[in-house]
Amino acid sequence: MTITPDSPSVLTALDRPNSYIGRSVPRPNLRRLTEGRGSYVSDTVLPRMLHVVFVRSPHAHARIRAIDTLAASKAPGVVAAFVGADLTEVMSPWVGVLTHLKGLKSAPQYPLAMERACWQGEAVCAIVARTRALAEDAAALVDVDYEELPAVADAETALDPQTPVIHPELGDNLTFERRVNAGDPDQGMRDAAEIVEATFVFGRHTGVCNEARAIVADWNAAEQRLTVYQGTQAPHMMQNLFAKHLGIAEQQVRVITKDVGGSFGVKVHAYADEMATVAIAKLLRRPVKFVADRLESFLTDIHARDHRVHGKIGVKKDGTITVFEIDDLTGIGPYSVYPRTSGIEANQVVNLTGSWYRCPNYRALARVVFQNKNVMCQYRAVGHPIATAVTEGLVDLAAARIGMDPVEIRRRNLIPDDGYPATAPSGIKFEKLSQEAALQKIVTMMRYDDLRAEQERLRKQGVYRGIGMTTFVEVTNPSPTFYGIGGARISAQDGVTMRLDGAGTVFCHTGVSEQGQGTEAVIAQVAASAFGVPISSVRVIMGDTDNTPYGGGTWASRAAGIAGEAAWQAGKALRANVLALAATILQAQPQSLDLRDGIVVDAASSRERMGLDEIARIAHFRPDTLPPGFQPELVATRHYVPRAWPFAFTNGVQASYLEVDVDTGFVKLLRHWCVEDCGTIINPLLVDEQVRGGIVQGIGAALYEHCVYDERGQLLNGNMADYLVPMASEMPDMDIGHVVTPTADSELGAKGAGEAGTAGAPGAVMNAINDALRPLGAKTLTEMPFTPGLILRAIGRI
């Protein structure tokens, strides 16, 4: 570690040991560290914001022989230089495992790489300076001596005996394995008239949030307290992690999260560079800021979806599905991401594949392997696009094999709407779904028979259009059996505190956070409805561990269903307290009064009696006018934890209508439909736009987005010029419909809706492309993204 004076004024203080900017201070603490790591000055630095940048490995796998920071430490404005061993003084390593994922293993991870860099982009050194620009200039002067090591880039060969083991202490490159054998899969194969199989490949991609990851950490030595401003989805989770690995109490850590510009699951994990920023702030006792630039984001934001799934389906001549079988292989990078782990996505694929069909016979194998690429973890609709595309791709192929319409085969096999509660072969439980109603509604919305007729007519003219459909389920409102059971301090409950201030304004404090999805509006809407005031009278406070009830945050489509229910119950409780107070003032019975639009009225006649401002004035400033012994309570807190095991499932259907140009291989999206059942719909506009946004991300996976690596583990397109994201001009019109099946687990009956679009869209586009090309005898396309080159090869044009 090298720490140097950061301004001329500090240098002056060093020349005058007993003075510092005209004030008497102790002599600066100068100490020499180990050879080659320089010296540093502490206790006399200015309380200004510092900026940290990271020197990152250019190699996918390399031994770090030495790091020379001397030149960087002498650069203008540099305050400190840190290597891996320096930060272990204040921060312990972490291991991304959950006990209920049996056999899941990973190696300890540190804020900065210790002896080896295990992916291109892993931070090996931190440079701290007065500005970001100065820190970047100095970082370029750091000399790292690497010994490049063989990289494990291909998940397919990660378990081969001749492949190097990334973490020798773990024995092999297998992170996690799960097997399911339900019903009698072998009998299901024998009962089938046709067995169809295919290998589905899902390109690795990432979130590309509007706002990059960002953090400011400030250690107050006087208060022995850390304040962290962070763009995170789970403030209370991060409070726990910072405290745990700094070795301090949780109450010594405050995490503040303002509005975040998009997350999609990217910002719900512990990142090494953010943990390093916090450790550096504690060492330097100054505010330290890190903001990932776009190139860093591509190299370090979690990636997702890198799966190869070989699937089989058995089907009778009458369309009855007799068996599903999958073999899923996924590469997750060199570490299981902390604390949610990188085993969850493959586990979800196993849980979900084929689960919404009546077929009882199911065999599944999932293997998760280490590789020398960026880490991979939960991203919007964790595992759902894979499970849906595999299931629905196989169902479409089975229908084609036996000559049955794709809608008809689904009608014959979906769990009927009166068949719930139901348990899938994997063991997951469905409370109540509406697959039949959703399928019928989308067929009506899209005028399915008319589209088929149009498709047939255009084919005769050499125009190849396709119709693709997916049915799916979505996990929402996760219960404690999802993470808590595995030992992670990730809360499944959320609380809401509502209070009435002295002016009659309602404040609603909640543990969920705003990521751009409209959570603040939904919480305000629920609180206003439950309490009885206009939404304009409600102010929502979120994203502050000092000022909100403990909660899980925003992930897995849980905010409306869990925090919304807590807000509903808190609003009802505060309403009862206010009516009790009003009844005392008015000498009436509480049940004879009501609160409507912020005014206490007679329940029977709606005659106005008192405004909330007057009630608040009396309670806060003139309680002496109330009867002896009556204590007004204008604060109410309620919590809600879902009891459904392990989720409140939603369901839906999507359909894609597109045209393939057989000369260029380009796909033109013509129309997209989605019917979703998210239970009680609190805010229809927000729900519809969440679904549309999810569809866009799903289409991105199907047609555009792909993190391309070479055989040495080098990311080849980590920039906005080469990594394609869907653009508005390329998107089709999207029609959204709903079926409403409230969950009985809560009074509101709300489930989540944030991931439905992403879950079903890739499979729908895949099935539509294959449907369009089927008359040409094309090879079935199952490798995403479906690029023009892949399409042209499938039809023999190149």
Side-chain angles (χ1 to χ4, degrees):
M1 170 169 51
T2 306
I3 301 184
T4 63
D6 73 325
S7 70
S9 59
V10 173
L11 289 174
T12 302
L14 296 179
D15 292 335
R16 296 178 296 164
N18 294 317
S19 67
Y20 178 62
I21 315 300
R23 291 184 291 131
S24 177
V25 297
R27 180 182 176 87
N29 175 24
L30 299 172
R31 63 187 177 95
R32 174 68 57 181
L33 300 179
T34 58
E35 185 176 352
R37 289 163 62 193
S39 63
Y40 74 84
V41 178
S42 66
D43 301 331
T44 60
V45 289
L46 295 174
R48 279 200 305 267
M49 176 82 74
L50 300 176
H51 298 260
V52 60
V53 302
F54 294 95
V55 178
R56 300 184 183 275
S57 171
H59 305 291
H61 197 198
R63 182 171 288 109
I64 303 169
R65 288 173 168 165
I67 301 177
D68 185 355
T69 61
L70 185 60
S73 68
K74 295 179 179 180
V78 171
V79 174
F82 296 92
V83 296
D86 300 327
L87 301 189
T88 62
E89 296 179 19
V90 293
M91 179 164 282
S92 61
W94 54 90
V95 180
V97 297
L98 290 169
T99 58
H100 67 302
L101 297 182
K102 301 299 183 183
L104 176 63
K105 64 189 180 187
S106 187
Q109 190 175 359
Y110 292 82
L112 297 174
M114 295 290 288
E115 298 175 353
R116 289 180 301 132
C118 291
W119 83 88
Q120 177 203 12
E122 184 173 10
V124 301
C125 176
I127 301 296
V128 186
R130 288 186 287 113
T131 69
R132 171 70 180 248
L134 291 172
E136 288 183 343
D137 290 345
L141 302 176
V142 174
D143 184 15
V144 185
D145 182 10
Y146 293 103
E147 176 191 349
E148 190 170 2
L149 301 173
V152 181
D154 187 358
E156 296 275 2
T157 61
L159 299 179
D160 291 352
Q162 65 270 26
T163 299
V165 177
I166 296 174
H167 303 292
E169 67 274 20
L170 298 180
D172 55 32
N173 289 325
L174 182 66
T175 314
F176 173 65
E177 180 178 275
R178 183 183 172 196
R179 297 174 184 268
V180 170
N181 201 68
D184 190 339
D186 292 330
Q187 186 62 48
M189 295 290 182
R190 290 191 292 269
D191 291 342
E194 298 285 349
I195 296 174
V196 183
E197 55 186 301
T199 297
F200 300 84
V201 179
F202 300 86
R204 175 186 273 248
H205 55 277
T206 188
V208 197
C209 304
N210 283 344
E211 178 184 75
R213 291 186 295 110
I215 185 171
V216 175
D218 182 12
W219 173 258
N220 187 316
E223 295 182 356
Q224 289 291 289
R225 201 147 194 262
L226 174 71
T227 300
V228 180
Y229 292 84
Q230 184 183 24
T232 178
Q233 296 172 238
H236 285 101
M237 181 194 81
M238 294 309 304
Q239 177 193 38
N240 167 257
L241 298 183
F242 292 144
K244 177 179 179 179
H245 294 285
L246 287 173
I248 59 180
E250 279 194 36
Q251 57 89 11
Q252 290 178 268
V253 179
R254 179 185 184 187
V255 177
I256 300 171
T257 298
K258 302 295 185 180
D259 290 354
V260 178
S263 292
F264 316 120
V266 168
K267 297 169 185 170
V268 77
H269 313 288
Y271 285 89
D273 48 21
E274 294 179 7
M275 299 292 274
T277 302
V278 169
I280 290 167
K282 190 169 189 297
L283 281 168
L284 296 183
R285 305 183 184 185
R286 291 178 65 177
V288 178
K289 179 179 182 178
F290 168 65
V291 178
D293 64 29
R294 188 60 68 184
L295 298 180
E296 287 179 300
S297 294
F298 276 110
L299 287 170
T300 61
D301 286 5
I302 60 103
H303 292 179
R305 310 287 197 252
D306 192 358
H307 289 251
R308 189 277 296 145
V309 185
H310 185 75
K312 294 181 181 180
I313 186 173
V315 62
K316 295 181 178 180
K317 290 297 185 183
D318 65 359
T320 302
I321 298 172
T322 62
V323 65
F324 282 104
E325 180 177 313
I326 64 165
D327 180 342
D328 179 21
L329 176 69
T330 177
I332 60 157
Y335 299 100
S336 173
V337 176
Y338 186 67
R340 294 166 189 266
T341 84
S342 302
I344 291 293
E345 183 161 81
N347 196 59
Q348 292 285 65
V349 172
V350 171
N351 280 338
L352 297 174
T353 299
S355 61
W356 51 97
Y357 288 104
R358 287 180 288 178
C359 175
N361 304 313
Y362 179 48
R363 180 183 290 130
L365 168 64
R367 290 169 297 160
V368 181
V369 298
F370 293 121
Q371 56 185 176
N372 293 118
K373 295 181 181 179
N374 184 22
V375 292
M376 195 175 81
C377 202
Q378 287 93 312
Y379 170 67
R380 190 176 192 174
V382 184
H384 294 64
I386 295 120
T388 300
V390 170
T391 301
E392 297 297 289
L394 290 172
V395 169
D396 256 33
L397 291 174
R401 179 72 64 86
I402 64 174
M404 183 174 287
D405 183 86
V407 171
E408 184 58 31
I409 195 172
R410 289 172 171 83
R411 281 194 179 119
R412 297 188 182 195
N413 288 279
L414 289 168
I415 299 173
D417 292 354
D418 61 0
Y420 296 95
T423 301
S426 64
I428 58 174
K429 301 178 186 299
F430 300 126
E431 174 198 10
K432 177 67 174 170
L433 301 181
S434 58
Q435 295 283 19
E436 289 181 322
L439 181 60
Q440 184 54 50
K441 184 160 188 173
I442 203 168
V443 166
T444 302
M445 283 174 58
M446 64 190 294
R447 302 178 66 176
Y448 181 76
D449 291 338
D450 291 346
L451 280 185
R452 284 294 182 197
E454 178 180 85
Q455 177 190 45
E456 186 61 31
R457 175 176 55 81
L458 290 172
R459 280 176 176 172
K460 295 175 182 178
Q461 302 173 22
V463 176
Y464 295 93
R465 291 187 175 183
I467 302 168
M469 186 169 290
T470 54
T471 57
F472 60 91
V473 295
E474 176 194 359
V475 303
T476 74
N477 298 5
S479 75
T481 58
F482 189 43
Y483 282 122
I485 195 174
R489 292 179 67 89
I490 301 171
S491 180
Q493 64 89 47
D494 254 284
V496 167
T497 295
M498 287 181 61
R499 60 183 174 88
L500 188 68
D501 76 354
T505 300
V506 178
F507 286 78
C508 183
H509 302 249
T510 175
V512 296
S513 55
E514 178 62 69
Q515 312 288 316
Q517 77 277 48
T519 298
E520 183 176 351
V522 168
I523 298 299
Q525 184 178 345
V526 171
S529 299
F531 185 55
V533 294
I535 193 171
S536 58
S537 298
V538 178
R539 181 182 175 191
V540 177
I541 307 295
M542 52 175 50
D544 186 344
T545 57
D546 268 9
N547 290 296
T548 60
Y550 203 96
T554 301
W555 47 276
S557 300
R558 68 185 299 278
I562 297 178
E565 180 67 16
W568 181 258
Q569 298 300 337
K572 289 171 56 182
L574 183 60
R575 176 193 187 96
N577 291 351
V578 167
L579 291 178
L581 173 57
T584 299
I585 297 170
L586 297 172
Q587 299 183 13
Q589 294 298 315
Q591 60 268 27
S592 70
L593 302 175
D594 199 4
L595 184 57
R596 301 172 188 167
D597 293 325
I599 298 172
V600 174
V601 301
D602 286 329
S605 66
S606 298
R607 181 169 65 93
E608 295 184 2
R609 302 294 301 275
M610 293 185 73
L612 270 181
D613 54 347
E614 178 63 10
I615 293 173
R617 184 191 69 81
I618 294 172
H620 284 285
F621 309 116
R622 291 304 309 275
D624 59 296
T625 63
L626 299 174
F630 183 87
Q631 176 62 49
E633 295 288 350
L634 299 187
V635 179
T637 299
R638 292 294 183 271
H639 292 80
Y640 171 68
V641 58
R643 302 295 179 184
W645 188 93
F647 309 101
F649 278 93
T650 70
N651 68 270
V653 186
Q654 289 192 39
S656 173
Y657 188 44
L658 54 78
E659 183 177 313
V660 179
D661 187 324
V662 295
D663 293 320
T664 65
F666 279 84
V667 173
K668 182 178 182 181
L669 301 165
L670 302 173
R671 197 90 176 207
H672 201 100
W673 297 265
C674 179
V675 172
E676 210 243 0
D677 185 345
C678 61
T680 302
I681 300 173
I682 297 171
N683 188 311
L685 179 60
L686 284 177
V687 169
D688 285 359
E689 296 313 309
Q690 277 287 295
V691 172
R692 287 191 176 96
I695 290 170
V696 170
Q697 282 188 290
I699 289 173
L703 296 178
Y704 307 109
E705 299 187 56
H706 191 194
C707 296
V708 180
Y709 281 84
D710 68 12
E711 67 280 358
R712 296 174 58 231
Q714 295 289 310
L715 180 62
L716 302 179
N717 63 333
N719 59 76
M720 294 301 293
D722 298 321
Y723 182 94
L724 302 182
V725 294
M727 307 293 285
S729 60
E730 298 161 333
M731 293 301 100
D733 286 342
M734 304 174 198
D735 299 308
I736 312 300
H738 299 279
V739 177
V740 177
T741 308
T743 175
D745 199 52
S746 67
E747 194 171 322
L748 269 182
K751 307 176 190 178
E755 295 165 292
T758 311
V765 171
M766 175 184 71
N767 285 343
I769 291 173
N770 285 316
D771 182 58
L773 300 180
R774 195 161 283 124
L776 300 175
K779 175 186 174 183
T780 301
L781 286 164
T782 54
E783 181 176 347
M784 298 184 194
F786 302 111
T787 62
L790 284 177
I791 290 172
L792 291 176
R793 279 190 286 274
I795 59 178
R797 296 294 175 95
I798 59 173

